[in-house]
Amino acid sequence: MRLLPLMFLTILCRATASENLSDHQQFCLESPQLSCGQYLQQQLSGLKAYSNEWYRVKAFQLNYLFDKHQFKQLQHEAEQLLQRTDLPEVFRVQLYFYYAKALNYFGNRTEAKEYASRAVAILKDIYAVFGNPLRVVELANLQITLGEFGQAEQLLSYAQSQYRQSRDPQFLFELNSNLALLVHQQGDLAAAAIYRSEALNAARTMGHPNKLIVALGNLARTRQLQGELAEALSLYRDSLQYTALPEHQIQHFIHLLRLAEISLQLQQPVQARHYLTQVKTAGLSEHHQKLYQQLSTELK
């Protein structure tokens, strides 16, 4: 599960201003003729290096690389920037986070944990001042990825407590999705289902297909694991209207696989075959390809 990008801050003459890094997409709309990556590089080239505005656009670029899973370039950019000793503190937190994500992606978990810990150490000194809930939640997600569940729980508890009055659906989606992930890791499926229901409510408020796919799929899988097969089937079916979009093809096939699996569990082989015949295995993970083979064998 991949989450929404963090909200980060830049320092402007000792004042603070929040930057939601998903804004890189909005920023790139200023130049529809160029790709977002090209436009960001063009803008950086025209700015004084390491100025306040340069850091702002650089933050957009780092987020773009992360969003596009361009981890090799992200790691290179982070390593170059980390050589500087004069980085704004809040930008350094962002850099540590992305560097940890890149290191973890390439299997260097020990060093990834080190940089994640550095980010959290700085964050403890500044998040109460800046009040940035998405940053806290995203760092908690990184801690979960690295297996640091105690630290993740502390961060999520802080976010949950400090921003309990928030009605921001993006924050509520991220918070509840990560709370669900944490308790699921601890084996508490009932609590995970409650959090995932709240995440789905937030996703419906946003109306964004990506969030709806994640929320519907996560809750459906939890319900399936709980044995609530009818509800799981309904949720996966609801998700197909969003996964049917071309850019979500892999997720579409995964959800069809689960629908076939649940149909078999409900002793509905005809329906199971209907779903399974729509699945194309190219691009699926080894785990899902094995599930496809298993279901194909059972349906013979």
Side-chain angles (χ1 to χ4, degrees):
M1 179 181 75
R2 199 213 32 99
L3 296 179
L4 279 177
L6 290 123
M7 186 182 292
F8 281 106
L9 303 170
T10 54
I11 295 178
L12 300 175
C13 302
R14 290 185 174 271
T16 63
S18 64
E19 291 289 347
N20 185 329
L21 287 190
S22 60
D23 285 349
H24 79 263
Q25 297 169 325
Q26 185 67 36
F27 183 75
C28 288
L29 290 177
E30 297 174 12
S31 179
Q33 295 81 17
L34 298 175
S35 71
C36 189
Q38 291 171 333
Y39 182 62
L40 287 166
Q41 189 58 52
Q42 179 193 75
Q43 292 300 298
L44 283 169
S45 299
L47 294 170
K48 180 181 177 181
Y50 312 117
S51 64
N52 291 328
E53 183 64 13
W54 187 91
Y55 277 118
R56 186 179 79 92
V57 179
K58 194 67 177 178
F60 290 156
Q61 186 186 53
L62 292 174
N63 181 244
Y64 170 80
L65 295 173
F66 174 65
D67 192 48
K68 296 299 182 183
H69 288 193
Q70 295 182 20
F71 289 106
K72 187 174 182 179
Q73 186 178 348
L74 182 63
Q75 181 175 358
H76 173 75
E77 293 283 347
E79 287 173 344
Q80 294 298 309
L81 286 164
L82 286 171
Q83 294 178 26
R84 299 189 63 83
T85 59
D86 58 348
L87 294 174
E89 200 76 334
V90 287
F91 185 82
R92 187 177 292 277
V93 174
Q94 174 189 14
L95 208 53
Y96 283 161
F97 167 80
Y98 283 129
Y99 192 42
K101 280 284 191 180
L103 289 168
N104 187 60
Y105 178 82
F106 291 115
N108 193 342
R109 289 176 64 84
T110 300
E111 196 174 358
K113 287 184 179 182
E114 176 188 340
Y115 278 93
S117 296
R118 291 186 189 185
V120 171
I122 299 174
L123 182 67
K124 285 180 178 178
D125 292 332
I126 65 174
Y127 62 25
V129 176
F130 292 116
N132 200 334
L134 283 178
R135 188 208 305 259
V136 179
V137 174
E138 186 76 5
L139 279 168
N141 177 261
L142 176 59
Q143 295 295 328
I144 294 171
T145 302
L146 295 171
E148 300 291 337
F149 300 123
Q151 181 67 70
E153 188 170 6
Q154 288 181 32
L155 290 168
L156 290 172
S157 294
Y158 173 85
Q160 193 175 31
S161 172
Q162 288 294 110
Y163 306 102
R164 59 184 176 275
Q165 301 300 324
S166 175
R167 293 294 178 266
D168 178 6
Q170 181 179 346
F171 168 65
L172 294 174
F173 172 81
E174 296 292 349
L175 175 65
N176 285 291
S177 294
N178 278 281
L179 286 167
L181 185 60
L182 185 62
V183 296
H184 190 118
Q185 292 278 1
Q186 297 168 343
D188 191 344
L189 292 177
I194 292 171
Y195 287 129
R196 284 180 170 150
S197 294
E198 290 298 321
L200 178 56
N201 290 338
R204 290 194 193 283
T205 299
M206 284 187 285
H208 195 285
N210 287 347
K211 305 302 175 292
L212 285 164
I213 290 168
V214 170
L216 286 164
N218 284 343
L219 182 56
R221 181 62 178 150
T222 301
R223 290 305 192 195
Q224 183 185 7
L225 292 172
Q226 288 181 295
E228 302 287 343
L229 300 181
E231 184 177 351
L233 195 75
S234 177
L235 289 163
Y236 274 128
R237 282 175 174 166
D238 285 349
S239 77
L240 296 184
Q241 62 184 302
Y242 307 107
T243 59
L245 298 171
E247 60 266 34
H248 304 302
Q249 187 177 71
I250 296 299
Q251 204 62 42
H252 188 64
F253 295 146
I254 290 172
H255 287 199
L256 286 169
L257 270 177
R258 291 301 181 193
L259 282 165
E261 183 182 37
I262 294 168
S263 295
L264 264 182
Q265 291 173 322
L266 290 169
Q267 299 182 10
Q268 299 173 353
V270 174
Q271 191 66 40
R273 288 191 190 92
H274 168 72
Y275 290 125
L276 196 63
T277 55
Q278 299 177 59
V279 175
K280 296 179 182 178
T281 58
L284 292 181
S285 67
E286 182 179 350
H287 169 76
H288 290 111
Q289 290 197 24
K290 285 182 178 178
L291 177 59
Y292 177 85
Q293 294 300 327
Q294 175 191 328
L295 294 172
S296 297
T297 300
E298 292 182 33
L299 286 169
K300 282 183 180 177

